[in-house]
């Protein structure tokens, strides 16, 4: 049986997400960001958001 490691992400505000599926972790984190930090997201450029995604993927061990 193959076991997958848990993937974790933590927002600067303290919100935590943990799951075995990195897509679910990223989806939950985006949902949180849109719901709770929409003003911050609106103030960021596409390049800044892309950098955030790259950093998040690296944190989760996702090769991009």
């Amino acid at each position: 049986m193959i076991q997958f490691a848990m993937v974790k992400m933590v927002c600067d505000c303290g919100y935590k997400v943990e799951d075995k599926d990195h897509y679910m972790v990223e989806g939950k984190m985006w949902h949180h960001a849109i719901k709770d930090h929409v003003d911050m997201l609106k103030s960021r450029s596409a390049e800044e958001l892309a950098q955030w995604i790259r950093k998040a993927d690296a944190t989760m061990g996702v090769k991009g």
Side-chain angles (χ1 to χ4, degrees):
M1 174 185 269
I2 298 174
Q3 289 190 327
F4 295 97
M6 293 298 279
V7 179
K8 301 174 189 176
M9 286 183 76
V10 179
C11 181
D12 290 344
C13 74
Y15 177 81
K16 298 175 188 175
V17 178
E18 184 174 6
D19 199 287
K20 291 181 180 181
D21 180 349
H22 75 274
Y23 292 114
M24 185 60 71
V25 170
E26 191 165 356
K28 288 178 180 179
M29 190 57 75
W30 273 109
H31 182 263
H32 163 70
I34 292 165
K35 183 175 156 266
D36 295 330
H37 303 298
V38 72
D39 291 336
M40 181 274 301
L41 291 172
K42 287 179 180 181
S43 71
R44 299 295 194 263
S45 69
E47 291 79 15
E48 288 171 315
L49 292 173
Q51 185 61 33
W52 183 86
I53 293 168
R54 285 185 193 99
K55 182 180 174 185
D57 284 352
T59 298
M60 292 187 293
V62 176
K63 307 271 192 249

